[in-house]
Amino acid sequence: MNDQDRRSMPLFAIGIVMKLTELTARQIRYYEEHDLIHPERTGGNQRLFSFNDVDRLLEIKDLLDKGLNIAGIKLMLQEEMVETKEVLPKPTSNELSDKELRKILRTELTDAGRHGKTNLRQGELSRFFTNH
Amino acid sequence: MNDQDRRSMPLFAIGIVMKLTELTARQIRYYEEHDLIHPERTGGNQRLFSFNDVDRLLEIKDLLDKGLNIAGIKLMLQEEMVETKEVLPKPTSNELSDKELRKILRTELTDAGRHGKTNLRQGELSRFFTNH
DNA sequence: ACCTGATGTTAGGTTTTCTCACACAATTAA
DNA sequence: TTAATTGTGTGAGAAAACCTAACATCAGGT
């Protein structure tokens, strides 16, 4: 079992995720509804979150604080997905404009980061539970 | 927040602990009842386990497999506690014989380990969720 | 003033967990 | 052998946590 497997293992009920992220259940479910996260489910349909999920939620929270809306956040996170994906589907014209958008957003945020709190970008929560 | 804090942070409901350890709820509660573990509780009295708790449960399981009973296991784990404690209470005559017992047990187990499966001794589960 | 997007709140139902009690098989003790 | 003890299974009833769905609210933007 490699590191990525561990980080994507479903472990946390929504209650603890609320505490870890300081988000409400409503918010967390809303973000799932809009495809920002995809937690697993128990046999009885209860959400089970992984470290990755919690990390994403912390990113979402941070991006919201920076003024992004769900659509913008989705693009940002989608960017990360693509970066770590194997083969990209051949870009449609729509994807191209998405890429443009993401570029703009990223520039914007990087700029904002220069005189605000630091950009997180990766593994906020995992950094807590990981040695180095 | 240091590593030990992270490892003792209450995170897991009993359901996932069951899966992680392959123990039944009955067993887990029984071990708690006999002071082998001390999981936290939510405001609503539900158990919340830490990485350390899960590690201990895996140790307990292993020691049970090796034929120890609860009393023996308690001594073993108590040994570990003592090793990481600040100031030891001045040993009573009873404590002395405990120490003797632990020594015997440890020898026994170490010996058994030499021609069985390897001795675990530390952080079984954490090893899963920790880089190096 | 009117949308829309994000979140709060409430209701009713289901799942998970809780304690407590009793059963039982396997040891250990008498 | 018979009698306690130990570790675990199982079931009942209650409480906690979670689920979806609906409606409310409130700030921004048009």
Side-chain angles (χ1 to χ4, degrees):
Chain A
M1 181 162 68
N2 64 34
D3 196 53
Q4 181 48 38
D5 288 339
R6 278 165 241 146
R7 294 169 45 87
S8 65
M9 187 172 238
L11 293 174
F12 308 112
I14 200 171
I16 22 175
V17 175
M18 290 173 62
K19 283 183 196 154
L20 289 173
T21 62
E22 293 178 287
L23 294 167
T24 67
R26 182 67 166 96
Q27 288 176 297
I28 295 171
R29 297 193 187 112
Y30 185 76
Y31 304 150
E32 180 189 20
E33 192 179 352
H34 289 69
D35 281 325
L36 300 186
I37 48 172
H38 308 89
E40 299 277 317
R41 300 285 183 130
T42 68
N45 198 38
Q46 313 223 169
R47 271 165 268 254
L48 276 187
F49 300 78
S50 67
F51 278 111
N52 276 336
D53 291 326
V54 180
D55 277 343
R56 278 175 83 84
L57 286 172
L58 288 172
E59 290 202 54
I60 291 167
K61 196 185 177 193
D62 191 77
L63 293 174
L64 276 171
D65 283 349
K66 288 180 176 154
L68 283 223
N69 62 9
I70 301 290
I73 295 174
K74 192 187 296 199
L75 285 171
M76 292 294 288
L77 297 185
Q78 185 180 320
E79 173 83 345
E80 288 179 16
M81 301 289 282
V82 168
E83 277 168 3
T84 59
K85 259 304 190 284
E86 352 67 48
V87 181
L88 324 184
K90 78 174 56 175
T92 73
S93 60
N94 192 357
E95 285 244 13
L96 281 174
S97 61
D98 277 5
K99 193 156 192 170
E100 266 301 272
L101 257 177
R102 285 195 292 267
K103 191 164 152 190
I104 295 170
L105 280 175
R106 198 134 39 109
T107 310
E108 196 75 23
L109 288 171
T110 306
D111 188 41
R114 277 206 285 103
H115 42 79
K117 52 197 296 193
T118 156
N119 206 339
L120 31 96
R121 199 74 207 144
Q122 228 299 63
E124 192 71 353
L125 193 254
S126 297
R127 203 171 293 140
F128 274 145
F129 288 93
T130 291
N131 298 331
H132 320 306
Chain B
M1 179 163 68
N2 64 32
D3 197 53
Q4 181 49 38
D5 288 338
R6 279 166 241 148
R7 293 169 46 86
S8 64
M9 186 173 238
L11 294 174
F12 309 112
I14 200 172
I16 23 177
V17 175
M18 290 173 62
K19 284 183 195 153
L20 289 173
T21 61
E22 294 179 285
L23 293 167
T24 67
R26 182 66 166 97
Q27 287 176 297
I28 296 170
R29 298 194 187 111
Y30 185 75
Y31 305 150
E32 180 189 21
E33 191 179 353
H34 287 71
D35 280 325
L36 299 186
I37 49 172
H38 307 91
E40 298 278 316
R41 299 287 182 128
T42 68
N45 197 38
Q46 316 226 166
R47 271 164 267 252
L48 277 187
F49 300 78
S50 66
F51 278 111
N52 276 337
D53 290 327
V54 180
D55 277 342
R56 277 175 85 87
L57 285 172
L58 288 171
E59 290 203 54
I60 291 167
K61 195 185 177 192
D62 191 79
L63 293 174
L64 275 172
D65 282 348
K66 288 179 176 154
L68 283 225
N69 61 11
I70 301 290
I73 294 173
K74 192 187 298 199
L75 285 172
M76 292 295 288
L77 297 184
Q78 184 179 319
E79 173 81 347
E80 289 179 16
M81 301 288 282
V82 168
E83 278 167 3
T84 60
K85 256 311 193 271
E86 353 63 51
V87 182
L88 324 185
K90 77 175 56 174
T92 72
S93 60
N94 191 359
E95 286 243 13
L96 280 176
S97 59
D98 277 3
K99 192 157 191 169
E100 268 298 272
L101 256 178
R102 286 195 289 267
K103 191 163 152 189
I104 294 169
L105 280 176
R106 197 135 39 110
T107 311
E108 197 75 24
L109 288 172
T110 306
D111 189 40
R114 279 207 285 102
H115 42 75
K117 53 198 295 194
T118 155
N119 208 338
L120 34 96
R121 199 74 207 143
Q122 228 295 63
E124 192 75 354
L125 193 255
S126 298
R127 203 172 293 139
F128 274 144
F129 288 93
T130 291
N131 300 329
H132 321 304

